[in-house]
Amino acid sequence: MFKCKRFFMVMLSTLLILSGCVKGKELEGGNDLTIARSTDAEMIDPGHAMAEGDIDVVFHLFDGLVQFKNRDLEVEPALATDWDVSEDGKTWTFQLRKGVKFHDGTDFNADAVVHSFKRILDKDHKFYGLIKGNSYLDYLLGDIIEDVVKMNDYEVKFELKRKFAPFLTYMGYYSQFVVSPAALEKYGEDFINHPVGTGPFKFKRWKKGEYLELTANEDYWGEKPKIDSLVFKVVPESSTRLMELQNGSVDAIKNIDPKQLETIEKNDELKALSVPGANTFFMSINTEKEPFDDVKVRQALNHAVNTKRIVENIYEGDGTRAINFMPPTVFSFDKNAGPYRYDPDQAKALLQEAGYEDGFKVKLNTFEGARTYVSQPVQAAELIASDLKKIGLDVEIETNEWAKHADIMDNGKHELSLTGWFDVPYPSNFLKTLALEGSRTKYHPEDLQEKAKKALATYDEEKQLKLYQELQQGLHEGAPIVPIAHSNYSAAVRSDVKGFVLDNLGVVRAHKASKK
Amino acid sequence: MSINKTAQAPRSFIGEAFKQFRKNRLAVTSFILVIVIMLLGVLAPLIALEDPVNPSPENRLQPGFWAGNFDHPLGTDELGRDIYSRIVYGAQISLKVGYTVILITAIFGTLFGLISAYYGGMIDLILMRITDIFLSFPPLLLALSVIAILGTGLENAMLAIALIYIPQMARIVRSSVLTVKELPYVEASKSLGAKNSFIIIGHILPNILAPSVVYLTLLLADAILYTSALGFLGIGIDPSTPEWGAMLSKGRDYIILGQWWVTVFPGIMIALTVFAFNLLGDGLREALDPKMDV
């Protein structure tokens, strides 16, 4: 016991001394770009990454078969140079790029693609379950992909169970990125500490909870990075992050508190970046509970909430008003599918028509702590409650921490509840997965579900557009939620940093960044 | 002559206690402070400037009198509500919580303590092991678990806090009763054939009053502090309720950004109130404890 303790002490002090050296010497100067974030990565594996902290890193270490052009969902070649879809829309064939090497020196080829997908989707694959945890790949494509087949070294075929419209789009998303099978073999479950891909940066070292360092990949198949290394530093406190940016010890910060934007904008040395996020913050109405089973009551709620006031004061302008489930940046967004204008008198009239002129007692559930789509959920609830009181409702706010809050909603115990969603900016993710399945409204009329299914089963964009817009109209009329806002994702950089991009999922893209 | 003297004894005890209390300047100051806080609460509807709940975000985070703003002497919070008005109404809530907790604790604590000590034996064993169980939990954790089971809301928060103190109160009452019940006058009463209920109400209860009152006064401060803690953690109450702890918690983010008033004023109020009730409790103990009488 005593021996063990002493050994531990020695180890600890050695570690402390070493870490001091590393931080003091090697993280400074040079052509490095350091980004301070609120959280560290946990799982640097495309197949299992879930959190923002992971995705930031995955996008720099790995590549997909296709990649998004700029911020659009339109894709362009990446690890695949060309692709083709069969008549029935169920078979996709990809021609792979030749001469690409993984960071460990092994070749990128059809085997690598097959392994990358099958290790998640095929229970009989030798790497299945090697790394534990949920998989976003499984969530997006688990029910869709029937098989992945190697045709020859540089040709891969995906067999789908049915026609699936978002397939190609999803292939550009991080969870479908390709990993090195040789590294999986070599490191096993420790792969997450030795991630190997084909991306513009290579993994160098990771001091958990402190920083993660990547170095430029000299042999990258595409445009080579202009910086030598990219460091993700963990700084949990938002005010500390801002301070570090101000004194130049980091080059960029993420997860800015909207309250800090003013300070950043006043400073000439700093530049704020803000992009409309693919997320929605809304009030879910439990349409199974009386009186919310009456569409007039739901519409009354929509007229009663002063959404503009919330966007101006809670988001401090760093967000846009939501009029429906869909963020306006997503394909097929229909600007005519809403909003209900702010009009308490109209709300009262609707309540009267529904037979509730004396109002009723209602509980509004909200949660503690910031989430991607809202920084102050409690204050938002207070504003909504004061709006609803104006039309004669007796509102009580109940606040819980997120896990309990989600549990209440999942069990349908709520009446009104604040919640939100962020996802791949693809229409069905917001109109089907969210609106008809995940919004906790118990609102799923058959005609709308039918439309959602049809839209997924066609590759014809015109048809998709029409169906998705009809869906939005239907959701607007049925009013199962009160849409509130889409928050912006924000970052700030020192003004000598160029080419630093934040995408509409809030993920950093520093591939083409440079420092003057 | 000697009969007369004994008859006067209780009266002179209270008189003596009052004299003792008056001599203690700190206690008197705290007593005045407590009265002021009570007045704040009682007169809240008259002296508040604005509705404490209704937000008006266009006035958010305004500084107070130090910046020449006399419409909102203590500034406004993150939803534009007048902090002074919220503090005044907050006194109502804190006192309400304090008294309710004390009442529940006094009733149940005394009941359990009395029964346990007076009847002894198996009953004592069972009741005291139950209190042991409750005493073994960290207080805040116990309160949180109770709220998790009962659901949120001010009433449940009060119940949760009372549940922390009932076992402690029961212990204190029990130990007092154990001393008192062996005293000759109880034995005399028993040998005269008095019923248990008469002995308890007529002899024991009045004689355990002093330590209980002192404990309850000290408890008031603790109860207010725990309500604030629960409010600070954001569980327990409707966030628009002007509860001091909740106000303090929400202002936290604004301190670094220079809007210190959102946090500082409710903080001062919590500190002052707890301080005042604690000193009052100490003063009472000194005054009521015959052993300290020199």
Side-chain angles (χ1 to χ4, degrees):
Chain A
M1 176 70 188
F2 191 67
K3 238 180 188 172
C4 191
K5 212 175 194 174
R6 185 183 285 170
F7 174 73
F8 181 71
M9 292 295 278
V10 172
M11 284 295 287
L12 197 74
S13 46
T14 320
L15 218 76
L16 279 173
I17 294 164
L18 281 179
S19 72
C21 290
V22 171
K23 272 178 88 183
K25 265 186 190 165
E26 297 177 39
L27 275 181
E28 273 171 36
N31 198 8
D32 300 345
L33 189 82
T34 307
I35 304 166
R37 315 184 291 171
S38 59
T39 52
D40 196 7
E42 282 169 20
M43 175 66 83
I44 315 179
D45 168 20
H48 295 88
M50 280 287 189
E52 191 185 312
D54 305 329
I55 304 172
D56 280 339
V57 182
V58 167
F59 264 107
H60 293 95
L61 288 175
F62 301 89
D63 290 308
L65 295 182
V66 297
Q67 65 190 15
F68 298 131
K69 282 184 188 172
N70 301 321
R71 284 189 195 125
D72 268 332
L73 280 185
E74 213 177 315
V75 295
E76 61 183 15
L79 290 179
T81 49
D82 201 8
W83 51 87
D84 208 7
V85 61
S86 67
E87 284 281 296
D88 65 356
K90 282 158 72 174
T91 309
W92 287 79
T93 314
F94 291 87
Q95 306 299 326
L96 305 182
R97 193 178 291 273
K98 287 175 186 153
V100 177
K101 283 201 188 302
F102 283 109
H103 301 151
D104 58 3
T106 53
D107 282 328
F108 161 77
N109 53 30
D111 282 325
V113 179
V114 173
H115 280 302
S116 291
F117 281 85
K118 284 207 164 177
R119 75 181 173 118
I120 306 285
L121 302 176
D122 181 2
K123 286 193 175 58
D124 301 325
H125 191 266
K126 63 173 171 175
F127 295 141
Y128 182 84
L130 184 68
I131 294 164
K132 305 272 180 300
N134 291 326
S135 167
Y136 204 60
L137 164 56
D138 190 36
Y139 164 78
L140 289 177
L141 293 166
D143 303 336
I144 305 297
I145 294 179
E146 174 80 56
D147 201 5
V148 186
V149 187
K150 168 184 174 183
M151 304 306 285
N152 61 48
D153 271 357
Y154 292 97
E155 188 177 320
V156 159
K157 195 169 79 181
F158 285 82
E159 309 255 14
L160 307 190
K161 288 183 183 146
R162 55 180 179 272
K163 223 169 162 181
F164 188 62
F167 180 72
L168 194 61
T169 311
Y170 283 178
M171 292 306 278
Y173 200 53
Y174 83 91
S175 51
Q176 283 67 251
F177 286 3
V178 181
V179 301
S180 158
L184 277 176
E185 185 86 61
K186 185 172 166 194
Y187 299 112
E189 58 180 330
D190 205 27
F191 178 82
I192 53 169
N193 293 317
H194 305 271
V196 178
T198 58
F201 288 88
K202 290 193 263 194
F203 178 82
K204 187 170 177 198
R205 70 171 133 230
W206 184 9
K207 192 145 187 329
K208 284 185 186 158
E210 286 182 31
Y211 67 91
L212 196 155
E213 190 178 0
L214 314 178
T215 49
N217 175 7
E218 299 300 330
D219 309 316
Y220 188 55
W221 57 267
E223 189 184 327
K224 292 180 181 60
K226 296 187 187 74
I227 45 176
D228 299 330
S229 74
L230 181 62
V231 180
F232 292 98
K233 192 174 169 191
V234 186
V235 185
E237 199 66 44
S238 77
S239 47
T240 320
R241 281 199 295 281
L242 180 57
M243 244 157 54
E244 294 212 10
L245 186 72
Q246 282 167 335
N247 66 27
S249 60
V250 301
D251 302 300
I253 57 174
K254 275 189 79 178
N255 321 100
I256 297 175
D257 194 326
K259 299 191 275 283
Q260 296 173 341
L261 276 176
E262 207 186 312
T263 319
I264 295 168
E265 272 154 17
K266 274 187 199 152
N267 190 334
D268 289 340
E269 287 183 352
L270 311 180
K271 206 166 62 185
L273 305 172
S274 189
V275 293
N279 61 55
T280 309
F281 177 54
F282 59 91
M283 180 167 79
S284 166
I285 305 172
N286 190 342
T287 60
E288 261 182 4
K289 284 206 176 162
E290 212 204 343
F292 307 108
D293 49 350
D294 187 334
V295 67
K296 288 210 173 93
V297 174
R298 303 201 294 266
Q299 286 171 341
L301 294 179
N302 269 283
H303 279 298
V305 176
N306 188 347
T307 320
K308 201 174 140 230
R309 191 167 75 149
I310 299 172
V311 175
E312 277 170 7
N313 293 289
I314 304 287
Y315 289 81
E316 314 209 18
D318 200 29
T320 41
R321 180 186 178 172
I323 63 166
N324 207 315
F325 283 97
M326 284 262 279
T329 46
V330 177
F331 166 71
S332 87
F333 172 74
D334 184 355
K335 65 177 193 301
N336 298 318
Y340 290 93
R341 80 181 174 285
Y342 173 58
D343 186 348
D345 294 328
Q346 176 74 19
K348 274 188 212 156
L350 280 164
L351 279 187
Q352 195 162 13
E353 274 179 52
Y356 294 98
E357 60 272 17
D358 299 329
F360 47 82
K361 214 170 148 39
V362 61
K363 193 182 249 182
L364 170 60
N365 280 89
T366 187
F367 53 94
E368 270 292 309
R371 291 184 81 76
T372 320
Y373 32 79
V374 64
S375 60
Q376 299 177 304
V378 176
Q379 282 82 348
E382 289 180 60
L383 287 182
I384 292 171
S386 79
D387 287 337
L388 297 183
K389 278 174 193 159
K390 279 181 202 144
I391 62 162
L393 306 191
D394 180 7
V395 191
E396 188 201 338
I397 301 174
E398 179 181 323
T399 314
N400 287 296
E401 39 93 26
W402 176 258
K404 175 102 190 282
H405 179 67
D407 190 56
I408 289 172
M409 290 191 295
D410 288 342
N411 292 318
K413 286 190 206 145
H414 63 293
E415 295 178 315
L416 302 177
S417 180
L418 294 185
T419 180
W421 192 265
F422 62 99
D423 210 331
V424 185
Y426 189 84
S428 74
N429 292 44
F430 284 88
L431 295 176
K432 182 170 182 284
T433 320
L434 168 61
L436 298 172
E437 290 159 17
S439 62
R440 284 106 164 193
T441 55
K442 316 260 172 182
Y443 182 79
H444 10 246
E446 264 172 39
D447 59 324
L448 296 188
Q449 285 189 318
E450 204 48 48
K451 284 197 170 85
K453 257 185 225 157
K454 268 192 206 154
L456 278 181
T458 173
Y459 292 128
D460 183 340
E461 282 199 5
E462 297 242 325
K463 272 191 203 150
Q464 285 175 13
L465 183 72
K466 192 169 163 286
L467 283 163
Y468 283 132
Q469 295 205 334
E470 283 171 13
L471 247 171
Q472 289 170 66
Q473 283 294 344
L475 289 166
H476 170 60
E477 282 154 23
I481 61 163
V482 176
I484 301 168
H486 312 288
S487 84
N488 287 358
Y489 292 126
S490 54
V493 294
R494 294 194 59 82
S495 42
D496 58 347
V497 176
K498 299 267 175 288
F500 181 95
V501 174
L502 198 66
D503 74 6
N504 51 12
L505 283 145
V507 174
V508 167
R509 306 295 188 87
H511 171 188
K512 292 170 186 168
S514 63
K515 267 162 85 176
K516 241 191 314 208
Chain B
M1 191 65 183
S2 76
I3 292 169
N4 209 356
K5 211 176 178 182
T6 5
Q8 266 179 0
R11 225 168 149 201
S12 78
F13 173 67
I14 291 176
E16 195 60 35
F18 185 63
K19 227 161 101 192
Q20 200 72 32
F21 186 81
R22 247 190 359 191
K23 266 198 277 177
N24 185 343
R25 241 186 248 154
L26 219 51
V28 175
T29 321
S30 66
F31 181 69
I32 294 169
L33 210 58
V34 165
I35 296 288
V36 170
I37 294 166
M38 283 180 183
L39 279 179
L40 275 187
V42 173
L43 300 178
L46 296 176
I47 55 176
L49 299 172
E50 275 180 15
D51 183 299
V53 173
N54 191 29
S56 56
E58 51 286 355
N59 297 329
R60 59 205 300 270
L61 297 171
Q62 285 178 0
F65 65 87
W66 57 95
N69 180 358
F70 293 102
D71 294 340
H72 304 288
L74 300 184
T76 60
D77 71 359
E78 80 287 357
L79 288 174
R81 295 172 294 212
D82 182 43
I83 290 179
Y84 163 73
S85 308
R86 278 174 77 73
I87 282 183
V88 167
Y89 273 96
Q92 261 183 2
I93 293 169
S94 290
L95 293 176
K96 182 174 139 195
V97 171
Y99 292 137
T100 319
V101 169
I102 283 186
L103 201 69
I104 302 175
T105 311
I107 292 172
F108 289 98
T110 313
L111 193 70
F112 291 141
L114 261 177
I115 294 174
S116 187
Y118 190 80
Y119 293 101
M122 208 54 188
I123 300 176
D124 186 29
L125 199 71
I126 293 170
L127 281 175
M128 282 307 112
R129 290 304 79 76
I130 294 174
T131 57
D132 278 346
I133 293 173
F134 276 92
L135 285 171
S136 64
F137 285 106
L140 204 53
L141 193 69
L142 181 65
L144 289 179
S145 333
V146 172
I147 286 172
I149 296 165
L150 297 179
T152 53
L154 196 59
E155 286 75 21
N156 290 341
M158 291 191 286
L159 207 64
I161 299 168
L163 218 58
I164 299 175
Y165 291 109
I166 290 173
Q168 299 185 10
M169 179 77 188
R171 275 289 165 87
I172 286 169
V173 170
R174 178 176 173 269
S175 63
S176 310
V177 174
L178 282 180
T179 338
V180 173
K181 85 170 188 182
E182 303 299 334
L183 291 179
Y185 59 82
V186 176
E187 237 169 278
S189 194
K190 260 188 193 163
S191 59
L192 284 174
K195 282 186 201 153
N196 279 340
S197 57
F198 175 78
I199 298 175
I200 290 176
I201 296 169
H203 291 302
I204 295 183
L205 214 50
N207 283 296
I208 59 162
L209 218 54
S212 305
V213 166
V214 170
Y215 177 71
L216 288 172
T217 324
L218 289 171
L219 180 94
L220 193 78
D222 274 15
I224 292 171
L225 206 57
Y226 271 118
T227 323
S228 299
L230 289 177
F232 186 86
L233 292 174
I235 25 204
I237 53 163
D238 186 322
S240 44
T241 323
E243 200 283 316
W244 293 339
M247 290 168 71
L248 184 88
S249 153
K250 280 203 213 156
R252 208 165 31 157
D253 297 344
Y254 298 94
I255 298 180
I256 344 158
L257 298 167
Q259 287 119 354
W260 49 270
W261 55 90
V262 188
T263 297
V264 166
F265 293 116
I268 291 177
M269 284 312 288
I270 296 174
L272 267 185
T273 312
V274 172
F275 186 63
F277 276 105
N278 264 329
L279 284 182
L280 185 68
D282 278 344
L284 275 181
R285 193 183 61 206
E286 278 173 33
L288 291 176
D289 193 346
K291 274 174 244 147
M292 292 189 123
D293 190 10
V294 189

